[in-house]
Amino acid sequence: MEQEEGQHTLVMEKDQDFLDELSDYLDVLGNATRLRILKSIERTPKDMRTISREIETSYENTKKHIDKLLLAGVIRKEAGMSAPTSKGIHPVWKYSVIPGGLEAIIQNLGLFSNLQVSFGDLGLSRRIEDVLGQVSEKLGTAAPVVVLLGGPDDGKIFALGAEIISIGREDAAAVPSDPEREIVLSEEYAAVTRVSRPHCRLIHSSGLWQIEDCGSTGGTFVNNTRLAVHTRTAIRDGDIIDLGKGVRGARLVFRVPKEEEKA
């Protein structure tokens, strides 16, 4: 497969159990009806009959798809009460997307796609791309994010909602952090400069994202290239950002909606 600019290759051992689970995951998400269900319950928990009416399919078919989403771990059910009817109200199961579930779906698929995970199976790589396209079209993409890889907070997602976001590790002496303007990593990431004198900053200006090292001791790297201090460098969807090096550093994957990247 030809590697496009801004994409990265991660070679993995062929673990058949993992590949089987990934295939099942793609089967669950690569279905228009299940994606409509996720969109229906994205913000408000709903019972089976309400979902069935909204997506315009039978109760039995809706139940079949919901069972698959439950097994995939992207939705949950909890007891609730039905809407009032001529017969009164009664207990029902209500279904909702697990907090952060839609963002996690996008990240799971996008990470595999952008890193061009090598499974030795071109067909599987194409399926990942296809399902990611369907999910992005039906559910939309959230705000730009960075995903933390490795360490105690592996997989944690940080939304990028401000024009300038400082990144650093916890600092007990600093004033309380602003979650919209600061990404604060735990003390376990000891190679990352404290947030009171941030390791680096992400800057969004004129539709473009840039990163700037703020004089960190461990350095900031984009796709393994060390950045010059206090010099802004453009970053693109799928770029790998390393704060410091080694096990006590932090690795982030930058993810931005495709339509914003083209803006």
Side-chain angles (χ1 to χ4, degrees):
M1 179 185 297
E2 184 178 350
Q3 182 170 316
E4 297 181 3
E5 183 182 355
Q7 292 186 317
H8 320 284
T9 300
L10 175 65
V11 179
M12 299 180 64
E13 295 181 5
K14 192 169 184 179
D15 183 327
Q16 192 59 48
D17 289 340
F18 174 79
L19 295 180
D20 290 344
E21 289 186 22
L22 175 58
S23 181
D24 290 343
Y25 188 69
L26 295 174
D27 285 343
V28 168
L29 296 176
N31 180 282
T33 299
R34 290 194 274 274
L35 294 178
R36 289 202 303 273
I37 290 172
L38 289 174
K39 192 66 177 177
S40 171
I41 62 176
E42 178 181 6
R43 300 187 183 280
T44 306
K46 296 172 184 174
D47 64 84
M48 191 88 69
R49 295 192 184 282
T50 300
I51 297 168
S52 175
R53 287 195 300 271
E54 287 191 0
I55 68 172
E56 299 180 334
T57 190
S58 69
Y59 179 92
E60 292 74 17
N61 195 42
T62 301
K63 184 178 186 305
K64 178 184 68 176
H65 289 300
I66 282 181
D67 286 344
K68 288 185 176 293
L69 290 169
L70 286 168
L71 285 174
V74 296
I75 69 172
R76 63 185 180 185
K77 69 177 182 179
E78 53 193 343
M81 301 304 294
S82 70
T85 67
S86 59
K87 297 181 180 179
I89 60 174
H90 57 276
V92 293
W93 288 114
K94 289 196 172 184
Y95 300 87
S96 60
V97 179
I98 290 173
L102 297 186
E103 290 86 352
I105 288 169
I106 295 288
Q107 297 312 316
N108 289 343
L109 296 171
L111 185 60
F112 290 137
S113 174
N114 277 326
L115 294 181
Q116 291 191 18
V117 178
S118 176
F119 299 111
D121 185 339
L122 184 59
L124 184 57
S125 297
R126 286 173 176 164
R127 281 186 67 201
I128 292 171
E129 292 283 358
D130 289 344
V131 174
L132 176 60
Q134 291 180 56
V135 170
S136 297
E137 179 183 353
K138 298 293 184 183
L139 303 182
T141 52
V145 299
V146 289
V147 185
L148 183 59
L149 300 181
D153 296 324
D154 180 45
K156 188 171 183 178
I157 299 170
F158 300 91
L160 307 178
E163 296 300 298
I164 300 177
I165 301 101
S166 298
I167 306 178
R169 77 174 191 271
E170 288 179 344
D171 188 348
V175 297
S177 64
D178 181 343
E180 292 188 0
R181 293 177 173 80
E182 295 177 355
I183 292 175
V184 183
L185 306 179
S186 76
E187 284 288 349
E188 297 293 328
Y189 300 95
V192 179
T193 307
R194 291 182 180 276
V195 75
S196 58
R197 48 187 184 90
H199 192 103
C200 67
R201 291 190 181 94
L202 296 174
I203 302 102
H204 188 225
S205 177
S206 301
L208 299 175
W209 281 95
Q210 298 175 305
I211 186 169
E212 175 188 359
D213 182 271
C214 298
S216 67
T217 54
T220 301
F221 303 77
V222 174
N223 304 329
N224 288 320
T225 298
R226 185 163 186 160
L227 304 183
V229 176
H230 298 305
T231 300
R232 295 184 180 185
T233 300
I235 53 173
R236 299 177 57 188
D237 181 52
D239 279 346
I240 303 294
I241 301 167
D242 285 299
L243 311 183
K245 283 291 187 179
V247 296
R248 305 307 294 276
R251 170 165 286 186
L252 302 162
V253 180
F254 176 71
R255 293 285 298 151
V256 62
K258 294 297 183 183
E259 60 270 21
E260 178 173 325
E261 188 179 36
K262 294 176 183 177

